[in-house]
């Protein structure tokens, strides 16, 4: 991800290419109690046009929902704006993806595919690094 960012920035400085939408630092924290939901986190940067993240799924989870933490708990969110050139972070105690019914074969140290869907119809699948509940964030 960092190499891709450097290449994108170099292209911008030289005027050779428009900025591209990027998703990186993708990871999943497994629950402390088996059977509870896992949570996914990532960093996204918008490209040349405003879009929205309209959903995130995984073949290793029964369902996934984007959520936002608030003082009174959390609430589901249907879409997240990814404006041109802007950064969006899904991080602990903030926006996150709840992953329900995660395949029990998903273990710390492995990866888990996450598919990101956008309002312009583009879909991107990335492998998320999986960590245990007590492990520090990898990014």
């Amino acid at each position: 991800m960092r190499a891709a960012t450097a290449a994108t920035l170099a292209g911008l400085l030289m005027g050779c290419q428009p900025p591209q939408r990027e998703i990186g630092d993708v990871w999943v924290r497994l629950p402390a109690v088996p059977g509870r939901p896992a949570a996914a986190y990532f960093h996204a940067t918008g490209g040349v046009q405003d879009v929205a993240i309209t959903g995130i799924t995984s073949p290793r989870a029964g369902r996934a929902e984007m959520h936002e933490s608030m003082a009174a708990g959390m609430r589901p969110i249907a879409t997240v704006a990814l404006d041109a050139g802007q950064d969006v972070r899904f991080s602990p105690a903030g926006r996150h993806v709840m992953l329900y019914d995660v395949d029990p074969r998903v273990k710390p140290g492995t990866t888990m595919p996450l598919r990101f869907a956008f309002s312009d119809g583009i879909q991107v699948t990335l492998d998320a690094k999986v960590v245990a509940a007590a492990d520090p964030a990898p990014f």
Side-chain angles (χ1 to χ4, degrees):
M1 172 67 189
R2 287 182 178 84
T5 300
T8 299
L9 291 176
L12 283 173
L13 293 174
M14 297 170 32
C16 296
Q17 64 185 22
Q20 298 296 310
R21 176 182 322 161
E22 294 184 18
I23 307 253
D25 299 340
V26 185
W27 61 288
V28 169
R29 184 181 306 273
L30 294 175
V33 177
R36 302 287 301 187
Y41 309 101
F42 61 92
H43 172 243
T45 302
V48 294
Q49 296 180 340
D50 295 351
V51 295
I53 301 169
T54 58
I56 299 169
T57 60
S58 176
R60 300 274 189 242
R63 78 177 200 275
E65 297 176 359
M66 292 187 290
H67 282 209
E68 184 170 35
S69 295
M70 302 165 41
M74 66 178 160
R75 68 178 176 100
I77 47 179
T79 64
V80 174
L82 185 57
D83 294 337
Q86 297 300 303
D87 290 330
V88 171
R89 288 199 180 273
F90 275 52
S91 58
R95 284 180 279 205
H96 56 280
V97 181
M98 298 295 294
L99 299 166
Y100 298 91
D101 303 319
V102 173
D103 184 329
R105 294 174 292 180
V106 174
K107 302 287 185 197
T110 65
T111 61
M112 179 175 179
L114 296 179
R115 176 172 286 178
F116 296 80
F118 297 91
S119 58
D120 60 2
I122 291 175
Q123 294 189 5
V124 176
T125 301
L126 298 170
D127 285 328
K129 181 176 181 168
V130 177
V131 300
D135 289 347
F139 301 104

